[in-house]
């Protein structure tokens, strides 16, 4: 009997030990899967950022050529050098052509001249026009000016165009490449910081395209979104959490708010198209409509985070405020709301960051239009940065590839900055009980 009991105990211990070994092995496998998942995510993230930076860092520099421009009144075809209208309509392109002919006097054929003139960006004429309008005394003088080259020349200098390809497979001829080499040897070409990328609106010419109009559109759209979404979401969260009776109607509202947070953003775009543009006849491509659509999309996120922040406030604080005679509104305003505000602000900033990166709903309300001018009001035609990235990504020119990646880098900087602000706000204002 004693031997049998000992054998049974040994078997039980063996069974328990084997079970523990399996549990430990399963735990180690689970940890390994978690580490592999994190490593894979970090690897993909590193690849994405590396790819974007590799393709986009050249967008922040641009090739310029220095030209000795003679502001000859006869060649500019102006009568009165003090008249701004006459100066604005002057023929500045002729000045550039004459300067290029002086640099390459051997180019005499009409077709070759046309290729030679294409080395310089069309924006050079606008640059000289602005110079002369701001300083009419330049007429009759000679001045050395740095002007942007065509985007194909810029791509050639940045190494994106293979010189060894057959001429028929390149957008630049051998003759144009030879002219570029001559300019390079004379020290007339230089790579400078691309201020146009931050100071211009969109353009069909890649070397002149910038993100200022899209940034202004994004700012105005987010301003409308914040002005509408924040007070509505906070008021809704306070009512549902502090005042609303607990019944089936409240439950239905809560379930629908949670479900709305998971609705695809394109659905909000369709709603905005039907409601704000077709019904209320608001202008298309306007930050006002974009802000209204993004408000609908962002509201559930802010409401859910605000309710979570209100729930985190201990009930003892509410009861203490009521016990000393405060009304319910006073209790919420002076005690609950200040304590829940960090969580509410964090949720709002995260919601705004989500709205900043949205594209699909804005495409539905016409914010995909080609907008050159910088918007100055919420009803001006405009686009936003994600849509601008979408438009450039669809352009065939090689220069727009680096513009696309450069704009993505700017957008990522704003998104990271907004999330960093959310973290700082939470760390600074949060209180632990």
């Amino acid at each position: 009997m004693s031997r049998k009991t000992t054998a049974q105990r040994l078997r039980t211990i063996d069974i328990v030990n084997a079970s523990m070994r399996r549990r430990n092995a399963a735990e180690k496998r689970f940890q390994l899967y978690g580490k592999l998942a994190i490593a894979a995510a970090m690897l993909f993230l590193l690849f994405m950022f590396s790819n974007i930076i590799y393709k986009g860092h050249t967008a922040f520099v641009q090739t310029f050529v220095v030209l000795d421009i003679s502001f000859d009144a006869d060649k500019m075809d102006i009568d009165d050098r003090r008249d701004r209208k006459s100066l604005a309509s002057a023929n500045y392109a002729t000045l550039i052509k004459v300067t290029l002919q002086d640099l390459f006097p051997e180019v005499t054929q009409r077709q070759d001249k046309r290729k030679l003139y294409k080395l310089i960006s069309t924006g050079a004429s606008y640059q000289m026009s602005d110079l002369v309008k701001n300083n009419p005394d330049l007429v009759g003088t000679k001045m050395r000016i740095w002007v942007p080259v065509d985007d194909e020349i810029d791509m050639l200098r940045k190494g994106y165009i293979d010189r060894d390809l057959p001429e028929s497979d390149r957008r630049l001829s051998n003759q144009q490449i030879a002219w570029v080499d001559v300019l390079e040897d004379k020290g007339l070409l230089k790579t400078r910081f691309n201020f146009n990328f931050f100071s211009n609106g969109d353009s069909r010419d890649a070397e002149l395209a910038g993100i200022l109009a899209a940034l202004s559109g994004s700012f105005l759209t987010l301003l409308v979104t914040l002005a509408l979404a924040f007070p509505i979401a906070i008021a809704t969260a306070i009512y549902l959490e502090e005042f609303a009776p607990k019944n089936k109607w409240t439950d239905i509202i809560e379930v629908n708010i949670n479900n709305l947070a998971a609705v695809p953003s394109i659905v909000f775009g369709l709603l905005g198209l039907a409601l704000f543009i077709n019904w209320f006849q608001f202008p298309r491509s306007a930050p006002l409509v974009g802000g209204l659509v993004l408000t609908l999309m962002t509201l559930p996120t802010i409401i859910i985070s605000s309710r979570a922040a209100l729930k985190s406030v201990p009930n003892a604080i509410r009861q203490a405020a009521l016990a000393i005679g405060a009304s319910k509104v006073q209790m919420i305003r002076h005690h609950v709301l200040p304590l829940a505000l960090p969580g509410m602000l964090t949720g709002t900033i995260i919601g705004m960051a989500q709205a900043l990166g949205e594209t699909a709903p804005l495409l539905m309300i016409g914010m995909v239009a080609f907008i050159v001018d910088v918007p100055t009001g919420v009803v001006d035609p405009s686009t936003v940065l994600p849509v601008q990235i979408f438009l450039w990504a669809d352009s065939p020119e090689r220069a727009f590839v680096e513009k696309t990646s450069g704009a993505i880098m700017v957008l990522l900087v704003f998104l990271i900055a907004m999330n960093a602000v959310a973290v700082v706000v939470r760390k600074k204002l949060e209180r632990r009980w």
Side-chain angles (χ1 to χ4, degrees), residues 52-175:
I52 291 173
I53 293 172
Y54 173 73
K55 290 182 178 177
H57 73 283
T58 52
F60 302 106
V61 293
Q62 190 174 9
T63 302
F64 287 80
V65 59
V66 63
L67 298 177
D68 293 321
I69 303 291
S70 295
F71 292 96
D72 191 326
D74 293 335
K75 293 175 183 173
M76 293 169 67
D77 196 17
I78 56 174
D79 299 325
D80 184 0
R81 63 180 61 188
R82 295 292 173 186
D83 182 19
R84 287 187 64 84
K85 287 185 178 178
S86 179
L87 292 176
S89 60
N91 191 355
Y92 296 99
T94 299
L95 301 181
I96 297 173
K97 292 176 181 177
V98 170
T99 306
L100 288 174
Q101 287 171 4
D102 292 339
L103 284 170
F104 300 96
E106 70 278 8
V107 180
T108 55
Q109 299 296 321
R110 184 176 180 182
Q111 188 176 2
D112 294 339
K113 285 183 179 179
R114 196 176 301 160
K115 290 181 180 177
L116 178 64
Y117 300 153
K118 285 185 178 178
L119 298 183
I120 308 300
S121 168
T122 55
S125 298
Y126 301 111
Q127 183 180 337
M128 286 191 288
S129 173
D130 292 337
L131 273 175
V132 175
K133 282 189 291 185
N134 293 330
N135 186 10
D137 293 334
L138 287 176
V139 179
T141 64
K142 191 172 184 178
M143 184 178 182
R144 174 162 277 208
I145 303 174
W146 288 95
V147 295
V149 299
D150 185 76
D151 62 290
E152 294 296 333
I153 308 301
D154 190 42
M155 291 296 101
L156 176 71
R157 288 198 77 233
K158 290 175 178 174
Y160 293 121
I161 294 179
D162 189 358
R163 291 169 176 257
D164 297 330
L165 283 176
E167 187 175 7
S168 57
D169 294 341
R170 283 191 261 108
R171 299 186 66 173
L172 287 177
S173 66
N174 291 334
Q175 195 175 24

Side-chain angles (χ1 to χ4, degrees), residues 159-234:
Y160 293 121
I161 294 179
D162 189 358
R163 291 169 176 257
D164 297 330
L165 283 176
E167 187 175 7
S168 57
D169 294 341
R170 283 191 261 108
R171 299 186 66 173
L172 287 177
S173 66
N174 291 334
Q175 195 175 24
Q176 287 175 309
I177 293 177
W179 290 330
V180 172
D181 291 338
V182 171
L183 293 173
E184 191 83 62
D185 293 339
K186 290 182 177 179
L188 301 179
L189 292 179
K190 189 176 181 181
T191 300
R192 309 174 76 182
F193 185 75
N194 188 6
F195 288 102
N196 292 334
F197 186 65
F198 295 97
S199 60
N200 287 358
D202 197 8
S203 173
R204 299 291 185 197
D205 299 317
E207 71 276 7
L208 302 177
I211 60 172
L212 182 59
L215 276 178
S216 299
S218 289
F219 173 75
L220 293 171
T221 303
L222 284 183
L223 200 63
V224 174
T225 305
L226 180 64
L228 295 175
F230 184 69
I232 294 174
I234 299 301

Side-chain angles (χ1 to χ4, degrees), residues 285-297:
S285 304
L288 175 63
V289 181
L292 288 169
V293 171
L294 293 180
T295 298
L296 295 177
M297 193 198 71

